[in-house]
Amino acid sequence: MRTAPPTSPETATNRPSLRTSWRRIGASAFATATLVFAGLGTAVHASAAPATTAKAAKSTSAKVTWARSCATPKKKGQMACNALRVTGGITAFQKANAHADAVTPKAADASSPSGYGPSDLQSAYGLADAAASNGSGETIAIVDAYDDPNAESDLATYRSYYGLSDCTTDNGCFTKVSQTGSTTSLPTADSGWAGEISLDLDMASAICPNCNITLVEAKSSSMANLGKAVNEAVKLGAQYVSNSYGGSESSSDSTYDTSYFKHPGVAITVSAGDEGYGAEYPAASQYVTSVGGTALSTSSNSRGWTEKVWNTSSTEGTGSGCSSYDVKPSWQTDTGCSKRMIADVSAVADPATGVSVYDTYGDGTGWATYGGTSASAPIIAGVYALAGTPGSSDYPAKYPYAAAGTSALNDVTSGSNGSCTTSYFCTAKSGYDGPTGWGTPEGIDAFTG
């Protein structure tokens, strides 16, 4: 859904340095670490539009392949979700847990996780202490299109496996509503968007296990209906709102900005996109935190992890770029782009270094690994929630800029997501760059006012 495709194809292969020892995670040891996760079905859009077929894509771990979770939009103004479901290969998590790669990978198995779990993500981003202590009383809203009938039960399985506290309707932690706030009159179910919903709910849980979660389901994937869902989320009291979708920029974006995303005192995160270099909306909104994507791998360095720009090919990787329409917010000071620059910060998004998700409605039959900037947006929303209530008149997108260049952010300095005439629009460097913004979280200090 880019407006400006790269001028020439460019492919990057990512080969991580993996530690031979690994801290086991979850409620039980990962006994089937080298199993390859294969396809779990084809997403079916509510309008019966076919989903994009799975494609092979070389990335960090041994020919990992994936499929786009949601069907390709058919009409102008519709948004695409940014979730990519792994269908085969060996993920970074599996490789790190393999015994010197001595075991031949098996065929598909949905019985065990094959991606990073909560303790991995908290470790990678310096959040373990905050995740244990913070977040009580805070509410993260997840905004998506269509209904996932199994959202609550799938979330319960994910949280139980990883030893997280219950988050249910009965105990008041979990709420599911339509874009009008109804708990009973919900949108049509959709298997592709259900995978997106599971990904978002699981990532919010992984980063902020003490937070409440409100799932707001729009009746379609149009920007208008998703925008109304954002407004409903804020109306219901959420101060952290995650949006894992995007589409082409248009001259209507400034109107959408004021109608749906101008909510001072609310941290609104938006995926930067999954089609490589090029600007998307609503990541281009001046009022949101646009979130780029990285490839995350274990390392022998002092942090224990390393990251680079997520890029598989000229058409698959994190989005970035200079908006054609949205004005530049006052806290953005890069000089190469006179309008809004994407992104602000980043987190893991490469499917080959993807995250563990539990999903049983249509798109999956159990455990899956997901990537895409649909993973990074709810991760960053969770970090904002751990950091605490934003200032009532603030747009929290500005917070990481105040921490730029400090130890509160992991500066990502390698990789590119395509070809561009202004280098930092598509290529990582020391300091600010388009694909990763100011970097990834190292604790919560860069996400508080």
Side-chain angles (χ1 to χ4, degrees), residues 71-273:
T72 302
K74 296 297 183 181
K75 298 179 181 179
K76 183 178 180 180
Q78 288 182 330
M79 300 288 109
C81 78
N82 289 309
L84 303 175
R85 180 176 55 87
V86 170
T87 57
I90 305 174
T91 66
F93 174 85
Q94 291 173 307
K95 192 170 183 179
N97 281 273
H99 299 286
D101 293 333
V103 180
T104 302
K106 303 294 183 182
D109 187 340
S111 64
S112 299
S114 54
Y116 294 138
S119 63
D120 302 293
L121 298 172
Q122 292 170 20
S123 169
Y125 297 125
L127 300 170
D129 289 344
S133 303
N134 300 0
S136 180
E138 306 288 359
T139 298
I140 300 173
I142 301 299
V143 172
D144 281 311
Y146 303 106
D147 179 42
D148 177 2
N150 297 355
E152 183 171 359
S153 60
D154 286 350
L155 177 63
T157 299
Y158 178 90
R159 294 179 68 104
S160 175
Y161 180 89
Y162 286 112
L164 307 181
S165 60
D166 291 342
C167 188
T168 66
T169 301
D170 288 344
N171 68 14
C173 174
F174 179 75
T175 305
K176 182 171 78 168
V177 299
S178 71
Q179 68 187 56
T180 64
S182 174
T183 59
T184 56
S185 181
L186 298 171
T188 303
D190 181 271
S191 58
W193 279 88
E196 171 69 65
I197 288 169
S198 291
L199 167 61
D200 295 345
L201 295 176
D202 291 354
M203 290 308 95
S205 297
I207 300 302
C208 190
N210 296 325
C211 284
N212 296 329
I213 302 175
T214 298
L215 171 60
V216 186
E217 298 178 332
K219 68 179 182 180
S220 79
S221 61
S222 73
M223 186 64 258
N225 284 321
L226 286 161
K228 291 174 183 176
V230 171
N231 288 343
E232 183 64 26
V234 176
K235 178 182 175 182
L236 292 173
Q239 291 186 294
Y240 319 92
V241 183
S242 177
N243 304 268
S244 292
Y245 54 84
S248 298
E249 292 191 291
S250 77
S251 57
S252 300
D253 291 351
S254 59
T255 300
Y256 294 148
D257 272 4
T258 54
S259 297
Y260 306 131
F261 297 104
K262 190 177 182 181
H263 293 290
V266 180
I268 301 176
T269 63
V270 179
S271 300

Side-chain angles (χ1 to χ4, degrees), residues 12 24 60 107 157 185 193 201 246 248 251 275 306 348 351 380 389 391 435:
R24 299 291 178 180
T60 302
T157 299
S185 181
W193 279 88
L201 295 176
S248 298
S251 57
E275 297 185 2
T306 185
V348 61
I380 296 299
T389 306

